[in-house]
Amino acid sequence: MKQAENLAVTVIAKQFNGAGNVLLTLASASGHPLPAFTPGAHIDVTIPDCGKRQYSLCSVAGEAHYQICVRLDEGSGGGSRWLHHQVQTGASLTISAPRNHFPLPQAPRTLLFAAGIGLTPLLVMAEQLAAQDADFTLHLFLKRHDELPFSARLEQLGARVVLHYSSEGDSLRQRVPDDLKRPHDSALVSCGPAGFMDHLHQLALQYGWRADQLHSEKFKASVVTQSVAGDTFAVEIASSGARYTVNADESIAEVLSRAGIDIELSCEQGMCGACITGVLEGEPDHRDEVLSQKERAANDCIVLCCSRARSPLLVLDL
Ligand code: FES
């Protein structure tokens, strides 16, 4: 398996950031500057005995350090528990270089909709839009007031931030913000749990938004995405002509890794984009959460860890 560039960092601060969240500040362990990133980028954090977990970068633009905000999820595979309970200031971590499959789209007006800790990439986007004096509004949906993260940074953004608390009857299911009822030439950028995003997109389409105006990133792959099962097909490696059969119950990534083919893997759930690979022939059956509608329609790339083929053969640009 191909390794992404790994970076050694030190946790130089660990702070409370709204109920259930910790904010970790990471500095380069070598003293070399950390790579620059753009709003929407994430890093992989290597968690002992758990593998890699993806977290959006939420540092203020231009800062030398990275910041990630981690919500404690007791029901998860253990990554957030480890970062909350085991990692303290001074700890060493291994992370990947930033990767961005959720860039800020260009539009005359931008609506940012975040639920819970889905705020992290959208906060950095909002700050960039504010610095550009662009037209935008950030809607943040939380359960209760004590969950509010990044309160000082949100305050800096002033009236362009609208807070919604479901404990006060102001959730997306109970009250649709007027902004969402007026698509015009806006881009709708959202991040949050799958249920929130699915409901948001349903509403948006109902109010006349076009699919190409919707840009999103989910926390977790949906149940459908996690299923890699389907019909048997073949993949061909363009550079060597070698062909491999992908059986009904395995992913392309599994087959290629087993064969010693060099591919990069991280989330293995179709969410992070690490394994996106070019397709030269054949029609992918996209099952990921990371490619945009436009990228899917182009049919010239595929997410190897979860997607399959509609055609009997896919020729991969490897
Ligand atoms: S490994 Fe993350 S999308 Fe495939």
Side-chain angles (χ1 to χ4, degrees):
M1 186 188 308
K2 187 174 168 182
Q3 295 299 314
E5 185 194 350
N6 278 338
L7 304 168
V9 293
T10 306
V11 178
I12 58 167
K14 181 180 180 184
Q15 298 159 282
F16 172 83
N17 192 27
N21 307 321
V22 289
L23 181 67
L24 300 177
T25 304
L26 313 174
S28 165
S30 67
H32 295 300
L34 293 169
F37 70 94
T38 49
H42 70 263
I43 54 169
D44 299 336
V45 178
T46 303
I47 312 281
D49 303 324
C50 284
K52 293 175 181 172
R53 295 290 181 272
Q54 294 72 42
Y55 296 97
S56 294
L57 287 170
C58 53
S59 331
V60 173
E63 288 235 327
H65 306 137
Y66 288 165
Q67 284 190 316
I68 56 171
C69 185
V70 181
R71 176 145 191 90
L72 181 61
D73 181 356
E74 293 287 6
S76 75
S80 69
R81 277 203 304 277
W82 187 74
L83 289 167
H84 269 250
H85 301 316
Q86 307 292 325
V87 168
Q88 302 301 340
T89 302
S92 300
L93 295 181
T94 301
I95 64 171
S96 70
R99 198 183 279 129
N100 196 347
H101 295 288
F102 184 42
L104 179 59
Q106 296 296 313
R109 172 162 166 69
T110 307
L111 284 188
L112 304 164
F113 272 61
I117 208 61
L119 173 64
T120 49
L122 301 199
L123 175 61
V124 187
M125 291 182 185
E127 289 173 338
Q128 174 159 315
L129 291 166
Q132 295 167 343
D133 209 15
D135 185 2
F136 78 95
T137 305
L138 167 61
H139 290 267
L140 173 60
F141 293 81
L142 298 165
K143 286 197 185 97
R144 303 179 311 270
H145 284 255
D146 66 346
E147 290 184 347
L148 183 68
F150 301 105
S151 53
R153 287 169 66 178
L154 289 171
E155 213 165 290
Q156 289 275 323
L157 294 168
R160 289 170 292 194
V161 176
V162 185
L163 301 175
H164 305 265
Y165 294 103
S166 57
S167 59
E168 297 175 355
D170 186 7
S171 73
L172 200 55
R173 291 189 186 277
Q174 292 157 300
R175 195 181 300 163
V176 179
D178 287 343
D179 276 348
L180 198 59
K181 299 176 184 172
R182 298 191 294 262
H184 302 301
D185 49 3
S186 312
L188 175 61
V189 184
S190 53
C191 183
F196 171 83
M197 310 281 289
D198 292 344
H199 186 60
L200 176 68
H201 286 178
Q202 255 178 31
L203 283 172
L205 296 173
Q206 190 179 314
Y207 282 105
W209 292 76
R210 298 186 315 271
D212 65 355
Q213 291 177 284
L214 312 182
H215 308 265
S216 60
E217 184 172 73
K218 287 180 186 172
F219 292 161
K220 290 182 182 169
S222 63
V223 175
V224 173
T225 305
Q226 288 172 29
S227 166
V228 297
D231 294 339
T232 297
F233 59 97
V235 290
E236 181 177 304
I237 306 302
S239 59
S240 65
R243 282 195 184 187
Y244 302 93
T245 300
V246 181
N247 290 313
D249 59 349
E250 55 190 358
S251 69
I252 304 173
E254 284 168 338
V255 171
L256 296 187
S257 294
R258 198 163 58 229
I261 310 285
D262 208 15
I263 55 169
E264 186 182 328
L265 289 174
S266 177
C267 72
E268 299 187 54
Q269 294 184 78
M271 295 172 61
C272 74
C275 64
I276 294 174
T277 298
V279 171
L280 301 176
E281 276 180 54
E283 187 185 353
D285 174 5
H286 297 292
R287 301 190 181 192
D288 61 278
E289 305 276 6
V290 68
L291 295 179
S292 66
Q293 295 267 356
K294 205 167 153 194
E295 288 168 323
R296 284 166 180 246
N299 271 343
D300 59 2
C301 63
I302 187 167
V303 175
L304 296 179
C305 63
C306 64
S307 294
R308 304 189 64 81
R310 293 190 196 286
S311 51
L313 174 70
L314 284 181
V315 178
L316 301 176
D317 191 9
L318 287 170

